[in-house]
Amino acid sequence: MELNEFLNHLDSGKTVVGGSEMHKYMSELSSEAMKITAQINNAYHTSEELRELFEKLIGQPECEGFRMFPPFYTDCGKNIHVGKNVFINSGCCFQDQGGIMIGDGVLIGHQVVLATLNHDLDPDNRQSMIPKPIVIGNNVWIGSHATILGGVTIGDNAVIAAGAVVTKDVPENTVAGGVPAKIIKKIETERKSL
């Protein structure tokens, strides 16, 4: 199986049947991700070295302005896409098989979980997985310990409060918090001219 074939299957939202060739390939990618995240997490690295390791993990060259504080965990890595000037704080866990798209200027707090896979509810098919993407707009700030579930889009400039569990889309320029997350308030922006 080729990586592009695997990613196309996931990006189409098709189920990954437990025990299938697709599922076995997913396990192989997980092993590769564990090797690279072990390198990221088990030694000191300069910002440049961390950026290079992250680019190797996700297969995306030139993550301009990218910064990270390890440790960082993912069980795939190859379906994470980041914009410019993204910061990921320590202890984050990305389950990215369903696709994680991160816009420019995004700030992700400590121990944030982004989970794009769900298991089938039928006990006889529980090993099967259903991918759904997470899309994070530009200039989003996700607070510590927040969890974002698959199928969620977070609009530009939104803020996700610490500890929130986001199960539904969050509009741009809003603050969402709680379990499950609800819109708390609208963000009024004030543009100042120089």
Side-chain angles (χ1 to χ4, degrees):
M1 174 160 296
E2 298 287 326
L3 178 60
N4 284 340
E5 179 186 355
F6 174 74
L7 293 176
N8 287 337
H9 181 91
L10 293 172
D11 291 345
S12 72
K14 294 178 185 170
T15 297
V16 176
V17 177
S20 67
E21 180 185 348
M22 188 78 53
H23 189 239
K24 290 174 187 169
Y25 187 76
M26 183 183 287
S27 295
E28 292 172 19
L29 286 180
S30 293
S31 293
E32 181 183 337
M34 285 189 283
K35 287 178 190 174
I36 299 171
T37 56
Q39 291 176 324
I40 290 170
N41 297 334
N42 292 316
Y44 170 78
H45 300 285
T46 65
S47 293
E48 178 66 21
E49 291 168 337
L50 282 171
R51 185 184 57 75
E52 289 172 3
L53 284 167
F54 189 76
E55 288 171 353
K56 180 180 176 184
L57 174 69
I58 68 172
Q60 176 185 332
E62 302 300 321
C63 296
E64 184 181 328
F66 176 82
R67 291 186 19 230
M68 176 199 305
F69 290 170
F72 175 79
Y73 306 96
T74 185
D75 54 0
C76 181
K78 298 302 185 215
N79 214 1
I80 299 171
H81 310 275
V82 298
K84 298 175 185 175
N85 302 313
V86 169
F87 173 69
I88 300 172
N89 218 323
S90 62
C92 290
C93 298
F94 289 11
Q95 181 192 50
D96 63 284
Q97 287 90 339
I100 296 173
M101 282 62 75
I102 301 171
D104 295 341
V106 172
L107 304 173
I108 300 177
H110 293 90
Q111 299 183 340
V112 166
V113 173
L114 303 180
T116 66
L117 284 180
N118 211 342
H119 289 277
D120 196 306
L121 290 177
D122 179 351
D124 293 334
N125 295 320
R126 190 69 43 91
Q127 297 302 314
S128 294
M129 292 168 274
I130 304 154
K132 291 186 181 176
I134 294 172
V135 179
I136 301 169
N138 296 325
N139 302 310
V140 169
W141 172 23
I142 302 174
S144 297
H145 297 272
T147 298
I148 316 296
L149 299 182
V152 167
T153 296
I154 300 172
D156 292 348
N157 308 314
V159 175
I160 307 301
V165 176
V166 183
T167 61
K168 295 180 180 172
D169 291 353
V170 175
E172 65 182 23
N173 299 309
T174 59
V175 178
V179 179
K182 295 180 178 13
I183 304 307
I184 296 171
K185 68 179 186 177
K186 182 134 177 77
I187 298 171
E188 302 298 331
T189 58
E190 189 177 306
R191 301 284 179 196
K192 296 179 180 176
S193 58
L194 298 176

